[in-house]
Amino acid sequence: MPEGHTTHRLARDLTPLLVGRAVAVSSPQGRFAADAALVDGQPMVAIEAYGKHLFFHFASGLSTHVHLGLFGKFRVDGDGLPPLGEVRMRMRTDLGVVDLAGPTACEVGPGELRDSIVARLGPDPLRRDGRRADAIAALGSTRQPIGGALLDQRVIAGVGNVFRAEVLFVHGIHPTVRAADCDEPVLTAVWETLRKMLRAGVRDNRIITIDRRLLPRDRPLRRGDSTFVYKRDVCLRCGTAVQTVKLAGRPCYFCPACQAAP
DNA sequence: GCCGAATGCCCAA
DNA sequence: TGGGCCTTCGGCG
């Protein structure tokens, strides 16, 4: 379930297990073996989340960069679950074992690696240094439709296909509206809603974007309802058939009744 | 067993 | 813009 909230939650959860301890790093599956050797046994000094990227910083100045992609998963041992699959990276401390399977990226590099990755990212609404003004400037100066711009990690880091659809729904914005044509107060509100949604995602460790205050009082909620439009057949608020439009190469769900066409 | 889809993204044309 | 890659899982034979 990797959007930006996932990395921040992982940073939070893994910190007490790994940070301040010597970490044995290995690659049972093998593909990460050469890189693992570069940091094996070193003390970890910090875990950093930036958008959908994770950095495990070691005392030597080297860091492991991880991007989960669509399928990557971490697992902490001790819960007796079935095997995770091919374990690309294993980190072991005196407190336990952390396994990583299926990442898009898992590599060790110097501080410059981290900096070059971060340089490609826009502000992260979950970080203290995530500047709203930077996001608004980027949205205001792109020719992209807002539904495309929101998936662009150079504009805002950490937004994925669920949050883009849901935030546009909340503000009644049709995904094909040009970002630059939205008024600044609207873009400001979009940023603030994303921040709220992402924070809730960190708290809940899953994406639940629905807000009862935005629904008719008599609208029944079913068990499992977690979004207004994302991957739904009908709009949670009004029942109109949900449509999709391909933006940034991926289907963007929207309600044609609640989100007025441009 | 095979196929397609899935909260992502890179790269070649 | 399309294909490839990372992996799992459910639906369909």
Side-chain angles (χ1 to χ4, degrees):
Chain A
M1 1 182 135
E3 293 198 27
H5 66 296
T6 305
T7 52
H8 285 265
R9 176 64 184 235
L10 280 166
R12 181 213 278 185
D13 290 349
L14 296 180
T15 289
L17 276 174
L18 301 173
V19 172
R21 297 169 191 282
V23 184
V25 184
S26 61
S27 180
Q29 172 235 37
R31 287 181 49 183
F32 179 65
D35 280 26
L38 298 173
V39 290
D40 185 26
Q42 293 177 13
M44 192 179 290
V45 294
I47 303 176
E48 177 184 23
Y50 204 125
K52 298 171 189 171
H53 299 260
L54 267 176
F55 300 94
F56 298 88
H57 299 299
F58 290 91
S60 65
L62 292 175
S63 305
T64 302
H65 166 232
V66 170
H67 191 295
L68 292 174
L70 217 43
F71 319 115
K73 276 189 175 58
F74 276 98
R75 172 180 292 168
V76 177
D77 72 345
D79 38 22
L81 297 168
L84 184 58
E86 294 287 293
V87 176
R88 183 84 62 90
M89 173 172 69
R90 174 166 290 163
M91 295 186 285
R92 182 193 300 275
T93 69
D94 50 338
L95 291 184
V97 177
V98 177
D99 283 342
L100 167 65
T104 286
C106 181
E107 57 184 343
V108 171
E112 288 78 15
L113 172 68
R114 180 264 180 206
D115 292 343
S116 69
I117 290 163
V118 166
R120 302 197 307 254
L121 301 174
D124 177 345
L126 287 174
R127 289 175 60 99
R128 292 175 177 281
D129 59 5
R131 292 188 56 215
R132 186 175 78 186
D134 291 346
I136 291 169
L139 288 167
S141 63
T142 179
R143 291 182 352 195
Q144 292 186 81
I146 191 164
L150 288 177
L151 271 198
D152 186 341
Q153 301 299 297
R154 294 170 299 187
V155 173
I156 300 177
V159 178
N161 206 20
V162 184
F163 287 126
R164 83 155 163 183
E166 295 292 295
V167 72
L168 290 174
F169 173 86
V170 164
H171 294 285
I173 303 170
H174 194 282
T176 63
V177 170
R178 271 179 36 137
D181 289 342
C182 295
D183 293 333
E184 189 174 315
V186 171
L187 297 179
T188 300
V190 164
W191 168 273
E192 292 302 329
T193 297
L194 281 173
R195 204 155 68 105
K196 206 177 304 174
M197 286 181 172
L198 283 158
R199 283 182 170 175
V202 174
R203 185 193 61 220
D204 302 335
N205 209 8
R206 58 175 297 210
I207 300 177
I208 303 170
T209 58
I210 56 181
D211 180 341
R212 279 184 179 276
R213 291 169 298 183
L214 299 180
L215 297 173
R217 204 169 297 164
D218 57 351
R219 173 70 53 193
L221 281 186
R222 297 200 182 132
R223 203 164 51 81
D225 281 340
S226 57
T227 59
F228 291 113
V229 288
Y230 176 77
K231 225 182 204 176
R232 288 184 54 88
D233 294 332
V234 301
C235 172
L236 186 66
R237 176 196 276 158
C238 74
T240 300
V242 166
Q243 297 180 10
T244 64
V245 55
K246 205 165 189 180
L247 289 171
R250 317 181 54 205
C252 185
Y253 293 78
F254 69 98
C255 171
C258 296
Q259 297 165 263

